[in-house]
Structure formats: structure tokens, C-alpha cells
Amino acid sequence: MDEAHARQDTRPFPSDESDAEAFLRREASALERALEAASNGRDRPVVVELDHESWLALIATLHARGQHDAADEICGLYSFHGRVLTSLERGLDPRLGAAVASRVRGLLVDELERRTTTVCQRLPAMGEIVVS
């Protein structure tokens, strides 16, 4: 896919590394809030909607620019977000008990933060991300 076709609609999209970092942190923050809410025993799970289109457009744009390592790192983060979202939707095995379930969710929050920070630290090398 070439750069011109990486993003065809007009919805707001991260235009540079600063916007991309804010986007990635927003996505992680939404999952972290949902994990914390689940740990607090809310009756109804928090609904999280990942912005799939923006994730995929970011990855495709980076690939189109030849920034394959950056695209792969963001793809790995996106995949981890999907696994966390799946675990939230499915819920943890009730046999784990409340204390263990809370610890697992805490570990997921820590891992989301670690992975997001790692990817964001590498964003400045990307320069402008999308073509206007």
C-alpha cells in the first residue's frame, strides 16, 4: 500500500509524533481505567472501544514510509491492547479469587504503561506520520 492510500478518510488522526503519543496514551488510559474498574468490583464492565481505524492507519502509514520497525512496535502494542480488551470482555476465571484477580489486573496495567512508554520513547525518530 502506498502512502497516499494509507489514510483515505478525513477523521482526525495523529499527524506527528506528539499527536501519535497522545493517541497511544489515550488508548492505554482507557484500558487502564477499565482494568481498575474491574478490580474495584463494578457490577457492569466498563465498555472500551479501541480506535481500530486509527491504529491500522498509523501502522499502514509507517509501513508505506518504510518505517517497518516503528510499525512493528506499534503493531505489537495494538495486539497487546486487543488481548487486554479480550480479557476484560471475557473476565478472569472466578476460581482465581478476588486477590489474585486484582493482582493480575494490576500487572496488566503496569504492562500497558511499560509498553506504551517504550513505544512513545521511540516516536520522535518517526517525524511526520501522515500526509495531508
Side-chain angles (χ1 to χ4, degrees):
M1 176 185 303
D2 65 7
E3 199 170 321
H5 292 97
R7 178 84 174 155
Q8 294 180 353
D9 68 35
T10 58
R11 292 187 337 164
F13 178 74
S15 60
D16 58 22
E17 64 272 1
S18 178
D19 287 346
E21 179 175 356
F23 164 73
L24 294 172
R25 292 201 182 276
R26 270 192 315 273
E27 292 286 285
S29 181
L31 284 175
E32 289 170 9
R33 284 191 307 275
L35 285 163
E36 288 164 0
S39 288
N40 294 332
R42 283 202 179 155
D43 292 337
R44 301 175 71 192
V46 175
V47 176
V48 178
E49 282 284 326
L50 295 180
D51 185 351
H52 298 289
E53 190 171 336
S54 289
W55 279 100
L56 296 175
L58 176 56
I59 292 164
T61 299
L62 292 170
H63 270 296
R65 287 185 169 227
Q67 295 172 309
H68 303 293
D69 291 344
D72 291 346
E73 286 187 44
I74 291 174
C75 188
L77 181 61
Y78 175 53
S79 175
F80 185 72
H81 279 230
R83 290 191 308 271
V84 170
L85 185 58
T86 298
S87 81
L88 278 166
E89 291 170 347
R90 183 179 31 207
L92 295 174
D93 188 329
R95 296 174 292 178
L96 291 177
V100 173
S102 179
R103 181 68 181 132
V104 168
R105 289 185 185 107
L107 290 170
L108 288 173
V109 167
D110 292 346
E111 188 64 9
L112 274 167
E113 179 59 32
R114 186 191 70 75
R115 288 179 184 224
T116 301
T117 298
T118 297
V119 169
C120 288
Q121 287 173 340
R122 295 186 175 126
L123 286 175
M126 293 181 189
E128 185 182 6
I129 294 171
V130 294
V131 175
S132 301

